[in-house]
Amino acid sequence: MAEAKKLVLIGNGMAGVRAIEHLIKLAPGAYEITIFGAEPHPNYNRIMLSSVLAGGADMKDIVINDWDWYKENNIRLHAGHTVTKIDTKARKVVSHLGVEAEYDALVLATGSNPFMLPLPGADKEGVIGFRDIKDTEIMQETAKTYKKAIVIGGGLLGLEAARGLLNLGMDVSVVHNQPYLMNRQLDETASAMLKKELEAQGMKFLLRKYSESIYGKKRVKGLRFSDGTEAEADLIVMAVGILPNVGLAKSSGIEVNRGVVVNDFMETNVPGIYAVGECAEHRGIAYGLVAPLYEQGAVLAKRLAGVATEGYAGSVTSTKLKVSGVDVFSAGQYLDSDDTRSLRYQDEVDGVYKKIVLKDDKLVGAVLFGDTGDGASLFSIIKKGESVKGKEKELLLGFSASPSGGSSPLARLESMADDEIICGCNGVSKGTIADAIKTKGCSSVSEIKACTKASASCGGCKSQVEGLLQIYAGDAAVSVKEGICGCTTLNRDEIVAEIKRMELKTIKEVMHVLDWKNTEGCSKCRPSLNYYLGMLWPTEYKDEKESRFTNERYHANIQKDGTYSVVPRIYGGVTSPAELKKIAEVAEKFDVPMVKFTGGQRLDLLGVKKEDLPKMWEELDMPSGHAYGKMLRTVKTCVGNTFCRFGTQDSIAMGIRLEKEFERLNAPAKVKLAVSGCPRNCAEATIKDFGVVAIDGGWELHIGGNGGVHIRATDLLCVVKTEDEVVEWASAFLQLYREQAQWNERTSTWVERVGLDYVKQALEKREDRLALMERIRTALDQTVDPWKEIIANKELRKNFEALNPVQAVQS
Amino acid sequence: MTKVLIGNIADIDAKGSRTFRLDDTEIAVFRLSDGDVKAVENRCPHKGGKLSEGMVCGQVVHCPLHDWKIDLKSGKVHEPDDGCVTTFETEVDRANGSIYINIRG
Ligand code: SRM
Ligand SMILES: Cc1cc2nc3c(=O)[nH]c(=O)nc-3n(C[C@H](O)[C@H](O)[C@H](O)COP(=O)(O)OP(=O)(O)OC[C@H]3O[C@@H](n4cnc5c(N)ncnc54)[C@H](O)[C@@H]3O)c2cc1C
Ligand code: SF4
Ligand code: FES
């Protein structure tokens, strides 16, 4: 292989690093990569600074590629280094700290600088732009001690800054020199509606005002306008525009206009030097949004990798305001002109405004306010440039209004064409996401994000990505949404990995170390953590009964009136006259309102008073049937060859053996087994979590069945010959499920999520099965019958009894 | 104001609860993990679930029947549901652990 060429990237920002990401996928190892970044941070998502400021995200959530990523990809990163010189002859760059790097290819991705109005006093403390982490931190700090803020600029960035400052508790006024807010994205009507909405949120506006000077001593005190009026301010944020950062290029003899001039392949006039992102100017346009920059990055990566590309042809852009409670969308040519016609819809009751702009029967622009659900669809039609003749009204009134589309968001997603863009930031189409789910096995938003980049930038399309997950992955997806509950953003696998890595041993410790939002958790995470800890540390972990649901705490099913039901274990559904008599006597003695045969082949004593439970258990002198827990429930059996004329094996003995083997087994969800004596399958084994069907000379083992809400027939795992093998495979399968499924995920959903092949592979080798079997044995060896335990322990028993208040000690 | 001795702090597990009757009302007393003792009527405003059987997280209890969240300090039901339960004033004698409840009227 040829020696790797040297690539240097100046600017560790969104566009440049995105191109590198592409490049190392297209041509791994082709370049030795060095990156210089003026900011002392790894590559982060600049867009999300608005959310960080508004309190919706944490600084650490916005890192796109962390320090390890650079290491893993052999990229040398000089963070905190500003490149001050490019020597185009010697082909090397030098940083302000004197670090040099030679290059064969050089990429400029220096972004932009905020445009600071050259007002007298603009150098005072408390006057800043809004561009990077540092600016964001200054605003957060300022809000702690100061009250009044002015944002100059009523565009996207200015309004997002203003909203953030409002959330930080500041009194915020937005100064804008135009009569309308967001005049570069919205028409007058939408703009007026926006203003009204933001005013309701507490934002103040000073429109048609021209700033003249900033007054104060060392620190800013206020802003003076050209009409002689003034406004007080402790902080002034300028958000009036950006200027491509071209100083370095210019001084190095690279052709510069407004931005660094590039052709369709992102090449500058100097051979070997390229530019992407906000610093670049392509066909006269320097873009200020992420989507076009990413398109440029893709072209550049291909060029550098020597992969054919048609080149970059420019972008139509769309924008969305990321301010909570306000939905604004605009795309393309949204203002009317002589050669355009437009259709509008305005509903002042619900605060909805829609406008589409047509030119020669084609859709060229759109503005949406209040209901932006159709934004992505309209944007894709604009980009396609096809005739929309005859469909104009349908476009305006929304895809939801069309009879074919249906009215739910899901129906709308389903009817969307495959090439429609879902994630505008990263240009990810519906088809790409669907493919990631269907063929690449993505089953959560974070996996799709990692695989396709959809929702990785502003996150505005997350709900649509979730919708697609629901459509293409069904139940498997619903249960793997990010964060196991509202108390954490971590998912099951992340939590389990951290517990193992840091050897966390109590629920409290987990919540503390992993930064739980509610210090004591909720009814979702507490039981799940309790399960994971018990599964990971079977011999050490002390089960926390306070973190179990009522039923598992009192070892009976709570009924709607607060009484409980008692289901003793009846192995394999086989009882005896003596046992039945005993049950009958206990039922009579305690006045049990109802005795019922359950669907699991045993008896249920319903309507028992809580205080009677321990006494009843004592008199029954039978083990708990665990009809209440996320544990092994019943092992149903049919008659089998003991009596039945068709039976091929002893299904009753097999069932009883399995039930004795696994009784008291804790699991992510309830687990049901059954054994049928022949393929007629009277024990309904093929809708059980683990079903065994006898055949002549062997046993079929079936997994992942469910007879509940979402009925699912089992998959055939394998066929074995002996009873011992049945136990071995059952043990291995159940332990694999225990170790890998999410809490509250039945085997049916788990098998569907990970795939039958995965399970087969994991259980294929005998040594793996035996290892799993040993671990399940260890777990089972720790269990005791809970009824007996409670009967014997006064401390536990007290919780079944009421307190006896002593009347009036004092009046 | 009537002050009734209902039991001792040791009678209730941390994050646990016990119940007692006062005339026609069943009351649940909870011991929060910070040592606070709270008493509310043992009836969920939704469909009468016994709050004493629920899971205690911080200062809320999750009703065992349909998971409504009830704040034990204010008696208020958490959003998105709506409602409230009667709360009772409690007093703990830290010297001997006795728990008293104060009844108005
Ligand atoms: C007692 C019994 C009904 C009966 O009288 O036959 C029963 C009763 C309850 N079932 Fe069941 N299920 C009973 C057999 C079943 C069966 C049939 C079976 O096991 O052969 C099924 C379908 C098979 C399956 O699970 O694959 C069944 C599917 C469910 C489901 C849906 C599970 C699912 O994954 O979709 C629930 C809800 C849940 O678990 O979240 C449920 C929940 C319940 C609960 C525990 C509801 C609750 O949380 O309070 C019921 C308790 C009633 C009470 O007040 O005591 N029950 N339940 C059966 C006990 C069997 C036993 O001996 O242990
Ligand atoms: C608050 C905020 C919200 C935004 N919201 C959106 C949005 O919702 N949607 C959207 O599409 N866009 C949004 N943008 C714009 C978007 O962030 C930019 O278009 C994008 O980050 C530009 O990428 P870039 O790589 O060209 O520049 P940058 O991401 O700015 O990266 C350039 C990097 O180069 C470094 N650098 C510059 N000169 C040198 C040098 N000489 N040596 C070394 N390093 C150097 C800089 O420090 C910087 O880190 C927003 C921007 C901000 C500030
Ligand atoms: S089907 Fe099961 S959960 Fe539903 S009412 Fe009957 S016993 Fe209860
Ligand atoms: S009765 Fe309490 S939530 Fe329904």
Side-chain angles (χ1 to χ4, degrees):
Chain A
M1 193 177 147
E3 205 184 312
K5 285 193 263 177
K6 295 194 178 74
L7 175 81
V8 170
L9 168 68
I10 307 180
N12 189 27
M14 298 191 75
V17 175
R18 182 59 193 272
I20 300 290
E21 283 179 43
H22 266 288
L23 176 63
I24 53 190
K25 272 189 205 141
L26 289 176
Y31 288 93
E32 204 177 275
I33 302 169
T34 306
I35 301 180
F36 287 87
E39 295 182 73
H41 307 286
N43 172 235
Y44 66 89
N45 188 339
R46 196 170 303 286
I47 296 181
M48 294 283 282
L49 288 177
S50 304
S51 311
V52 172
L53 188 68
D58 217 48
M59 232 29 129
K60 64 177 190 298
D61 300 336
I62 72 171
V63 170
I64 303 176
N65 293 303
D66 59 15
W67 303 110
D68 288 341
W69 177 84
Y70 294 88
K71 271 200 219 114
E72 282 155 17
N73 290 289
N74 283 321
I75 297 171
R76 186 173 308 132
L77 171 67
H78 298 292
H81 283 249
T82 307
V83 172
T84 46
K85 190 172 167 227
I86 304 172
D87 184 337
T88 53
K89 290 236 170 57
R91 290 199 167 220
K92 63 174 191 185
V93 303
V94 187
S95 85
H96 78 296
L97 293 173
V99 171
E100 296 191 0
E102 292 179 354
Y103 65 82
D104 297 304
L106 176 67
V107 178
L108 299 174
T110 50
S112 319
N113 291 322
F115 176 56
M116 302 299 281
L117 291 171
L119 306 176
D123 54 349
K124 289 194 193 306
E125 200 179 293
V127 182
I128 58 169
F130 184 20
R131 180 73 194 174
D132 52 24
I133 289 187
K134 192 181 78 253
D135 297 329
T136 312
E137 285 171 349
I138 293 178
M139 288 190 250
Q140 288 171 329
E141 275 306 304
T142 309
K144 286 186 193 152
T145 37
Y146 295 98
K147 191 81 198 116
K148 283 188 177 262
I150 284 183
V151 175
I152 309 184
L156 275 173
L157 191 62
L159 294 179
E160 288 180 11
R163 176 66 231 197
L165 291 167
L166 216 53
N167 283 9
L168 290 171
M170 293 193 85
D171 173 7
V172 186
S173 303
V174 175
V175 173
H176 195 49
N177 59 4
Q178 301 291 315
Y180 300 106
L181 297 172
M182 279 178 69
N183 51 293
R184 305 227 335 243
Q185 289 88 14
L186 298 181
D187 68 352
E188 289 179 16
T189 313
S191 176
M193 291 174 90
L194 173 66
K195 175 162 172 268
K196 206 167 138 199
E197 178 60 45
L198 292 174
E199 274 169 346
Q201 294 190 7
M203 221 178 270
K204 295 175 192 159
F205 294 99
L206 298 164
L207 300 180
R208 284 200 179 102
K209 288 276 192 192
Y210 294 85
S211 308
E212 196 172 78
S213 62
I214 292 170
Y215 61 90
K217 282 200 179 128
K218 195 160 149 254
R219 191 181 177 91
V220 49
K221 276 244 154 61
L223 182 62
R224 202 166 283 131
F225 302 106
S226 57
D227 58 7
T229 56
E230 291 179 350
E232 283 178 25
D234 307 306
L235 174 75
I236 293 183
V237 180
M238 292 206 198
V240 292
I242 52 173
L243 286 178
N245 187 359
V246 297
L248 179 66
K250 207 172 188 171
S251 64
S252 310
I254 299 165
E255 186 189 344
V256 165
N257 187 22
R258 188 176 139 77
V260 180
V261 178
V262 292
N263 64 14
D264 287 1
F265 299 98
M266 315 319 294
E267 294 163 336
T268 67
N269 66 322
V270 178
I273 302 187
Y274 307 79
V276 271
E278 283 187 350
C279 68
E281 175 179 325
H282 172 262
R283 298 190 190 173
I285 303 176
Y287 294 93
L289 289 168
V290 159
L293 312 184
Y294 279 10
E295 287 175 39
Q296 296 176 353
V299 170
L300 173 64
K302 282 188 187 155
R303 193 66 167 178
L304 289 170
V307 175
T309 161
E310 286 175 14
Y312 175 64
S315 309
V316 185
T317 56
S318 70
T319 52
K320 239 177 157 169
L321 182 64
K322 307 190 297 294
V323 164
S324 65
V326 194
D327 290 319
V328 192
F329 172 89
S330 90
Q333 185 183 337
Y334 57 89
L335 288 178
D336 301 293
S337 63
D338 290 346
D339 56 352
T340 59
R341 295 168 300 142
S342 60
L343 275 79
R344 288 160 226 257
Y345 168 85
Q346 189 168 3
D347 167 357
E348 289 186 346
V349 179
D350 289 336
V352 174
Y353 171 70
K354 300 181 179 190
K355 169 179 169 182
I356 58 172
V357 182
L358 302 157
K359 187 171 174 177
D360 306 334
D361 297 331
K362 287 179 190 157
L363 184 68
V364 294
V367 179
L368 304 175
F369 185 93
D371 172 6
T372 52
D374 287 335
S377 308
L378 291 171
F379 185 47
S380 102
I381 296 174
I382 295 174
K383 289 210 290 192
K384 272 191 216 148
E386 289 165 3
S387 164
V388 294
K389 198 166 174 156
K391 287 195 290 191
E392 298 90 339
K393 293 212 172 73
E394 191 183 305
L395 291 184
L396 178 75
L397 295 174
F399 293 81
S400 45
S402 76
S404 59
S407 55
S408 74
L410 273 192
R412 193 186 303 171
L413 273 174
E414 271 194 290
S415 66
M416 229 182 223
D418 267 359
D419 59 350
E420 278 191 34
I421 298 292
I422 299 284
C423 173
C425 293
N426 296 305
V428 188
S429 67
K430 173 188 165 188
T432 310
I433 299 174
D435 182 60
I437 301 169
K438 286 191 289 197
T439 65
K440 301 199 182 115
C442 293
S443 60
S444 66
V445 175
S446 55
E447 282 171 21
I448 294 177
K449 200 195 279 184
C451 182
T452 67
K453 287 271 169 180
S455 84
S457 297
C458 78
C461 60
K462 194 168 151 204
S463 66
Q464 278 172 300
V465 175
E466 279 167 359
L468 289 173
L469 257 178
Q470 229 171 318
I471 294 172
Y472 296 111
D475 279 355
V478 179
S479 49
V480 292
K481 273 209 199 118
E482 285 166 289
I484 58 167
C485 68
C487 306
T488 175
T489 55
L490 301 175
N491 63 30
R492 182 265 177 206
D493 290 349
E494 292 164 334
I495 293 169
V496 169
E498 291 299 288
I499 295 178
K500 273 201 237 173
R501 188 172 70 81
M502 295 188 266
E503 304 211 354
L504 306 175
K505 297 282 164 71
T506 66
I507 294 181
K508 206 169 156 184
E509 204 175 32
V510 175
M511 293 182 172
H512 187 72
V513 174
L514 301 182
D515 252 349
W516 239 244
K517 267 176 236 146
N518 298 325
T519 41
E520 244 169 64
C522 70
S523 58
K524 270 212 186 91
C525 56
R526 282 251 300 275
S528 16
L529 292 180
N530 191 50
Y531 172 73
Y532 298 141
L533 286 162
M535 179 270 288
L536 289 168
W537 320 116
T539 54
E540 291 161 76
Y541 180 66
K542 189 174 171 302
D543 192 87
E544 227 185 54
K545 76 171 168 24
E546 296 76 25
S547 297
R548 287 184 174 270
F549 283 131
T550 315
N551 289 357
E552 299 188 3
R553 210 166 343 125
Y554 296 113
H555 295 277
N557 280 315
I558 192 167
Q559 326 265 276
K560 61 179 196 175
D561 62 354
T563 61
Y564 285 84
S565 68
V566 172
V567 183
R569 194 164 289 284
I570 296 185
Y571 299 94
V574 179
T575 179
S576 66
E579 196 169 63
L580 287 172
K581 270 189 207 151
K582 185 167 67 182
I583 295 173
E585 275 161 17
V586 172
E588 268 182 353
K589 178 166 175 191
F590 289 91
D591 256 342
V592 171
M594 178 177 281
V595 181
K596 179 181 180 301
F597 288 101
T598 73
Q601 298 186 331
R602 45 200 189 166
L603 281 163
D604 195 348
L605 312 180
L606 296 138
V608 178
K609 291 192 232 40
K610 185 177 167 190
E611 61 265 29
D612 286 342
L613 287 172
K615 286 174 259 168
M616 253 177 83
W617 297 336
E618 193 165 5
E619 298 214 4
L620 278 170
D621 192 25
M622 291 169 76
S624 162
H626 286 108
Y628 43 78
K630 298 196 184 301
M631 337 181 69
L632 178 83
R633 297 287 178 89
T634 59
V635 181
K636 270 169 77 158
T637 67
C638 74
V639 191
N641 71 2
T642 324
F643 292 96
C644 176
R645 63 198 166 117
F646 295 119
T648 60
Q649 307 266 9
D650 188 351
S651 50
I652 296 179
M654 184 75 250
I656 292 175
R657 179 167 167 196
L658 286 171
E659 189 156 353
K660 292 210 158 142
E661 195 78 33
F662 301 121
E663 65 177 317
R664 302 188 296 274
L665 180 72
N666 267 302
K670 57 186 170 192
V671 173
K672 298 177 175 182
L673 273 55
V675 185
S676 286
C678 83
R680 287 170 193 76
N681 193 15
C682 298
E684 299 164 332
T686 48
I687 50 163
K688 294 290 178 262
D689 296 276
F690 190 86
V692 182
V693 178
I695 51 173
D696 202 11
W699 306 91
E700 286 176 1
L701 306 182
H702 299 260
I703 58 165
N706 187 319
V709 185
H710 296 290
I711 192 148
R712 181 181 195 271
T714 45
D715 295 308
L716 179 64
L717 178 64
C718 63
V719 180
V720 299
K721 292 225 158 53
T722 64
E723 290 187 16
D724 287 347
E725 283 174 291
V726 174
V727 174
E728 177 184 314
W729 281 84
S731 305
F733 170 74
L734 291 174
Q735 181 64 9
L736 187 71
Y737 163 63
R738 292 184 76 237
E739 289 178 3
Q740 309 213 342
Q742 297 165 26
W743 180 78
N744 207 12
E745 183 180 38
R746 294 259 327 240
T747 59
S748 51
T749 19
W750 173 68
V751 167
E752 237 160 57
R753 181 162 67 83
V754 301
L756 177 64
D757 288 344
Y758 169 82
V759 177
K760 278 188 171 167
Q761 244 173 35
L763 302 181
E764 193 177 272
K765 292 203 209 95
R766 176 127 207 268
E767 61 193 85
D768 292 342
R769 290 199 300 276
L770 292 181
L772 285 161
M773 189 161 161
E774 196 182 317
R775 296 207 285 279
I776 205 170
R777 239 2 300 164
T778 308
L780 283 162
D781 286 345
Q782 318 303 320
T783 63
V784 292
D785 182 69
W787 290 358
K788 292 213 167 58
E789 190 182 21
I790 293 167
I791 294 166
N793 185 328
K794 207 168 139 236
E795 261 303 294
L796 293 172
R797 225 168 47 221
K798 74 169 192 292
N799 290 318
F800 291 79
E801 291 149 17
L803 292 169
N804 282 316
V806 178
Q807 261 312 330
V809 284
Q810 190 187 319
S811 280
Chain B
M1 182 84 90
T2 320
K3 190 165 162 180
V4 184
L5 173 68
I6 54 163
N8 194 281
I9 188 110
D11 295 334
I12 316 178
D13 298 340
K15 292 186 220 166
S17 88
R18 300 288 299 272
T19 61
F20 65 92
R21 278 199 158 272
L22 214 92
D23 304 328
D24 287 336
T25 317
E26 189 170 86
I27 297 175
V29 245
F30 296 85
R31 177 170 153 198
L32 309 187
S33 53
D34 64 5
D36 240 10
V37 172
K38 292 287 159 205
V40 302
E41 186 178 351
N42 198 15
R43 261 185 70 82
C44 177
H46 179 218
K47 293 194 172 171
K50 291 203 181 209
L51 299 176
S52 56
E53 317 296 276
M55 197 184 294
V56 180
C57 302
Q59 64 177 60
V60 306
V61 61
H62 291 256
C63 175
L65 294 197
H66 316 98
D67 206 37
W68 276 28
K69 268 170 89 176
I70 288 113
D71 187 303
L72 292 170
K73 298 203 174 165
S74 65
K76 284 214 181 72
V77 172
H78 270 235
E79 302 248 339
D81 307 306
D82 188 30
C84 69
V85 290
T86 314
T87 56
F88 298 87
E89 212 175 283
T90 55
E91 219 179 287
V92 181
D93 183 337
R94 296 288 161 188
N96 59 15
S98 298
I99 304 174
Y100 301 90
I101 181 158
N102 291 328
I103 314 287
R104 276 167 213 291

